[in-house]
PDB file of all heavy atoms in Angstrom:
ATOM      1  N   ARG A  85     -85.188  61.593 135.422  1.00 78.00           N
ATOM      2  CA  ARG A  85     -83.744  61.308 135.639  1.00 78.00           C
ATOM      3  C   ARG A  85     -82.935  61.830 134.460  1.00 78.00           C
ATOM      4  O   ARG A  85     -81.826  61.444 134.284  1.00 78.00           O
ATOM      5  CB  ARG A  85     -83.562  59.792 135.735  1.00 78.00           C
ATOM      6  CG  ARG A  85     -84.174  59.138 136.990  1.00 78.00           C
ATOM      7  CD  ARG A  85     -83.551  59.604 138.224  1.00 78.00           C
ATOM      8  NE  ARG A  85     -84.155  59.017 139.379  1.00 78.00           N
ATOM      9  CZ  ARG A  85     -83.768  59.280 140.710  1.00 78.00           C
ATOM     10  NH1 ARG A  85     -82.803  60.020 140.909  1.00 78.00           N
ATOM     11  NH2 ARG A  85     -84.453  58.648 141.695  1.00 78.00           N
ATOM     12  N   ARG A  86     -83.558  62.721 133.681  1.00 72.00           N
ATOM     13  CA  ARG A  86     -82.763  63.352 132.548  1.00 72.00           C
ATOM     14  C   ARG A  86     -81.670  64.194 133.069  1.00 72.00           C
ATOM     15  O   ARG A  86     -81.694  64.747 134.226  1.00 72.00           O
ATOM     16  CB  ARG A  86     -83.753  64.172 131.729  1.00 72.00           C
ATOM     17  CG  ARG A  86     -84.160  65.491 132.419  1.00 72.00           C
ATOM     18  CD  ARG A  86     -85.334  66.139 131.748  1.00 72.00           C
ATOM     19  NE  ARG A  86     -85.660  67.396 132.233  1.00 72.00           N
ATOM     20  CZ  ARG A  86     -86.388  67.606 133.373  1.00 72.00           C
ATOM     21  NH1 ARG A  86     -86.743  66.507 134.043  1.00 72.00           N
ATOM     22  NH2 ARG A  86     -86.732  68.871 133.784  1.00 72.00           N
ATOM     23  N   PRO A  87     -80.620  64.316 132.323  1.00 72.00           N
ATOM     24  CA  PRO A  87     -79.435  65.269 132.644  1.00 72.00           C
ATOM     25  C   PRO A  87     -79.969  66.670 132.662  1.00 72.00           C
ATOM     26  O   PRO A  87     -80.539  67.221 131.662  1.00 72.00           O
ATOM     27  CB  PRO A  87     -78.375  65.096 131.547  1.00 72.00           C
ATOM     28  CG  PRO A  87     -78.789  63.821 130.952  1.00 72.00           C
ATOM     29  CD  PRO A  87     -80.210  63.612 131.055  1.00 72.00           C
ATOM     30  N   VAL A  88     -79.894  67.390 133.816  1.00 63.00           N
ATOM     31  CA  VAL A  88     -80.384  68.793 133.929  1.00 63.00           C
ATOM     32  C   VAL A  88     -79.646  69.698 133.045  1.00 63.00           C
ATOM     33  O   VAL A  88     -80.196  70.669 132.388  1.00 63.00           O
ATOM     34  CB  VAL A  88     -80.421  69.286 135.440  1.00 63.00           C
ATOM     35  CG1 VAL A  88     -80.967  70.683 135.567  1.00 63.00           C
ATOM     36  CG2 VAL A  88     -81.191  68.233 136.269  1.00 63.00           C
ATOM     37  N   TYR A  89     -78.292  69.608 132.958  1.00 53.00           N
ATOM     38  CA  TYR A  89     -77.593  70.513 132.286  1.00 53.00           C
ATOM     39  C   TYR A  89     -76.925  69.963 130.950  1.00 53.00           C
ATOM     40  O   TYR A  89     -75.887  70.394 130.498  1.00 53.00           O
ATOM     41  CB  TYR A  89     -76.381  71.034 133.090  1.00 53.00           C
ATOM     42  CG  TYR A  89     -76.844  71.721 134.453  1.00 53.00           C
ATOM     43  CD1 TYR A  89     -76.720  70.932 135.722  1.00 53.00           C
ATOM     44  CD2 TYR A  89     -77.493  72.911 134.404  1.00 53.00           C
ATOM     45  CE1 TYR A  89     -77.195  71.511 136.821  1.00 53.00           C
ATOM     46  CE2 TYR A  89     -77.918  73.410 135.648  1.00 53.00           C
ATOM     47  CZ  TYR A  89     -77.812  72.768 136.794  1.00 53.00           C
ATOM     48  OH  TYR A  89     -78.254  73.340 137.960  1.00 53.00           O
ATOM     49  N   ALA A  90     -77.706  69.052 130.377  1.00 54.00           N
ATOM     50  CA  ALA A  90     -77.159  68.402 129.151  1.00 54.00           C
ATOM     51  C   ALA A  90     -77.246  69.560 128.069  1.00 54.00           C
ATOM     52  O   ALA A  90     -78.037  70.284 127.920  1.00 54.00           O
ATOM     53  CB  ALA A  90     -78.036  67.261 128.814  1.00 54.00           C
ATOM     54  N   LYS A  91     -76.121  69.452 127.231  1.00 56.00           N
ATOM     55  CA  LYS A  91     -75.969  70.389 126.113  1.00 56.00           C
ATOM     56  C   LYS A  91     -76.650  69.718 124.920  1.00 56.00           C
ATOM     57  O   LYS A  91     -76.212  68.707 124.443  1.00 56.00           O
ATOM     58  CB  LYS A  91     -74.566  70.723 125.892  1.00 56.00           C
ATOM     59  CG  LYS A  91     -74.364  71.767 124.722  1.00 56.00           C
ATOM     60  CD  LYS A  91     -72.944  72.045 124.591  1.00 56.00           C
ATOM     61  CE  LYS A  91     -72.764  73.017 123.441  1.00 56.00           C
ATOM     62  NZ  LYS A  91     -71.261  73.376 123.243  1.00 56.00           N
ATOM     63  N   LEU A  92     -77.772  70.380 124.391  1.00 56.00           N
ATOM     64  CA  LEU A  92     -78.476  69.855 123.319  1.00 56.00           C
ATOM     65  C   LEU A  92     -78.172  70.650 122.079  1.00 56.00           C
ATOM     66  O   LEU A  92     -77.803  71.781 122.097  1.00 56.00           O
ATOM     67  CB  LEU A  92     -79.971  69.967 123.574  1.00 56.00           C
ATOM     68  CG  LEU A  92     -80.557  69.308 124.932  1.00 56.00           C
ATOM     69  CD1 LEU A  92     -81.957  69.551 125.074  1.00 56.00           C
ATOM     70  CD2 LEU A  92     -80.130  67.851 124.946  1.00 56.00           C
ATOM     71  N   GLN A 100     -87.919  70.169 121.668  1.00 60.00           N
ATOM     72  CA  GLN A 100     -88.308  70.427 123.080  1.00 60.00           C
ATOM     73  C   GLN A 100     -89.343  71.556 123.091  1.00 60.00           C
ATOM     74  O   GLN A 100     -90.231  71.571 123.887  1.00 60.00           O
ATOM     75  CB  GLN A 100     -87.151  70.747 124.010  1.00 60.00           C
ATOM     76  CG  GLN A 100     -86.378  69.484 124.402  1.00 60.00           C
ATOM     77  CD  GLN A 100     -85.498  69.735 125.573  1.00 60.00           C
ATOM     78  OE1 GLN A 100     -85.488  70.759 126.250  1.00 60.00           O
ATOM     79  NE2 GLN A 100     -84.606  68.749 125.822  1.00 60.00           N
ATOM     80  N   TYR A 188     -84.495  64.562 125.793  1.00 76.00           N
ATOM     81  CA  TYR A 188     -83.989  65.277 126.841  1.00 76.00           C
ATOM     82  C   TYR A 188     -82.556  65.078 127.115  1.00 76.00           C
ATOM     83  O   TYR A 188     -82.081  65.457 128.239  1.00 76.00           O
ATOM     84  CB  TYR A 188     -84.881  64.996 128.132  1.00 76.00           C
ATOM     85  CG  TYR A 188     -86.235  65.634 128.001  1.00 76.00           C
ATOM     86  CD1 TYR A 188     -87.317  64.883 127.561  1.00 76.00           C
ATOM     87  CD2 TYR A 188     -86.451  67.029 128.284  1.00 76.00           C
ATOM     88  CE1 TYR A 188     -88.571  65.379 127.472  1.00 76.00           C
ATOM     89  CE2 TYR A 188     -87.742  67.459 128.076  1.00 76.00           C
ATOM     90  CZ  TYR A 188     -88.785  66.754 127.704  1.00 76.00           C
ATOM     91  OH  TYR A 188     -90.036  67.306 127.572  1.00 76.00           O
ATOM     92  N   GLY A 189     -81.778  64.525 126.199  1.00 72.00           N
ATOM     93  CA  GLY A 189     -80.318  64.561 126.306  1.00 72.00           C
ATOM     94  C   GLY A 189     -79.699  63.391 127.023  1.00 72.00           C
ATOM     95  O   GLY A 189     -78.508  63.438 127.190  1.00 72.00           O
ATOM     96  N   ALA A 190     -80.519  62.503 127.501  1.00 72.00           N
ATOM     97  CA  ALA A 190     -79.850  61.281 128.226  1.00 72.00           C
ATOM     98  C   ALA A 190     -79.168  60.364 127.239  1.00 72.00           C
ATOM     99  O   ALA A 190     -78.175  59.702 127.605  1.00 72.00           O
ATOM    100  CB  ALA A 190     -80.942  60.602 128.971  1.00 72.00           C
ATOM    101  N   ARG A 192     -77.125  60.804 123.696  1.00 72.00           N
ATOM    102  CA  ARG A 192     -76.615  61.866 122.619  1.00 72.00           C
ATOM    103  C   ARG A 192     -75.751  61.120 121.648  1.00 72.00           C
ATOM    104  O   ARG A 192     -74.936  60.273 122.003  1.00 72.00           O
ATOM    105  CB  ARG A 192     -75.748  62.921 123.387  1.00 72.00           C
ATOM    106  CG  ARG A 192     -76.604  63.907 124.217  1.00 72.00           C
ATOM    107  CD  ARG A 192     -75.713  64.823 125.001  1.00 72.00           C
ATOM    108  NE  ARG A 192     -75.059  64.168 126.069  1.00 72.00           N
ATOM    109  CZ  ARG A 192     -74.117  64.682 126.791  1.00 72.00           C
ATOM    110  NH1 ARG A 192     -73.560  65.801 126.453  1.00 72.00           N
ATOM    111  NH2 ARG A 192     -73.567  63.973 127.768  1.00 72.00           N
TER     112      ARG A 192
END
Side-chain angles (χ1 to χ4, degrees):
R85 298 294 181 177
R86 70 192 185 283
V88 179
Y89 302 106
K91 184 178 181 181
L92 305 178
Q100 282 196 11
Y188 287 98
R192 287 174 290 169

